[in-house]
Amino acid sequence: MSVFGDNLRKARKQLGLTQRQLAARIGARHNSVSNWETGQNEPDTLTIRRLCDALSITANDLFIEDPSSPAPVSRDELKFALFEESGQNMEDMLQEVLDFAQFVKEKHQRQKDPQSPPPRYPILGKKEGQ
């Protein structure tokens, strides 16, 4: 089985959907879902978008080997990748990026689990407790 197929099957089962039900949601034939899950073929880009919408996941969730644990990136690697500089101002900018990433993560989690608390996002430029 392929990484894509494994992740598709897991996401579908998490929602308690059959292959036939998922196919109906995205306008595909049920045997197409089976073929994708067994790695016989992969859907086109538009169908991947429909799958993501139907399953409330991202394309990364379908293609990353273990979507629950992406490779960690250090703060220094992230600062360099984003800003190619260093210093306190860059540290503040990095914190804003990390805060926003946490907001997006919580929002995505809320889509998967409506019982989770709503995402919070601090006001830019203000430290917590201000």
Side-chain angles (χ1 to χ4, degrees), residues 1-13 17-20 22 30-43 51 55:
M1 206 179 274
S2 68
V3 170
F4 176 87
D6 286 340
N7 292 342
L8 177 60
R9 181 181 45 78
K10 287 175 191 173
R12 175 181 60 78
K13 288 188 173 194
L17 297 173
T18 65
Q19 290 177 343
R20 191 175 299 274
L22 177 57
H30 75 280
N31 61 335
S32 295
V33 176
S34 174
N35 290 341
W36 301 329
E37 289 183 0
T38 58
Q40 293 179 27
N41 58 40
E42 289 184 355
L51 285 167
L55 298 170

Side-chain angles (χ1 to χ4, degrees), residues 46-59:
L46 178 60
T47 304
I48 291 171
R49 292 170 105 184
R50 289 178 180 155
L51 285 167
C52 291
D53 289 344
L55 298 170
S56 296
I57 58 175
T58 67

Side-chain angles (χ1 to χ4, degrees), residues 37-108:
E37 289 183 0
T38 58
Q40 293 179 27
N41 58 40
E42 289 184 355
D44 60 32
T45 305
L46 178 60
T47 304
I48 291 171
R49 292 170 105 184
R50 289 178 180 155
L51 285 167
C52 291
D53 289 344
L55 298 170
S56 296
I57 58 175
T58 67
N60 282 345
D61 294 329
L62 290 172
F63 289 100
I64 292 177
E65 184 112 17
D66 182 4
S68 64
S69 59
V73 176
S74 75
R75 290 178 68 90
D76 288 338
E77 291 171 323
L78 185 57
K79 276 195 301 193
F80 181 78
L82 292 173
F83 313 115
E84 296 182 2
E85 292 183 37
S86 62
Q88 185 57 41
N89 190 35
M90 292 303 124
E91 189 63 33
D92 292 342
M93 290 172 68
L94 174 62
Q95 189 58 53
E96 287 181 14
V97 169
L98 292 171
D99 290 344
F100 183 72
Q102 182 64 33
F103 167 79
V104 171
K105 179 180 173 183
E106 290 173 10
K107 180 179 176 185
H108 184 69

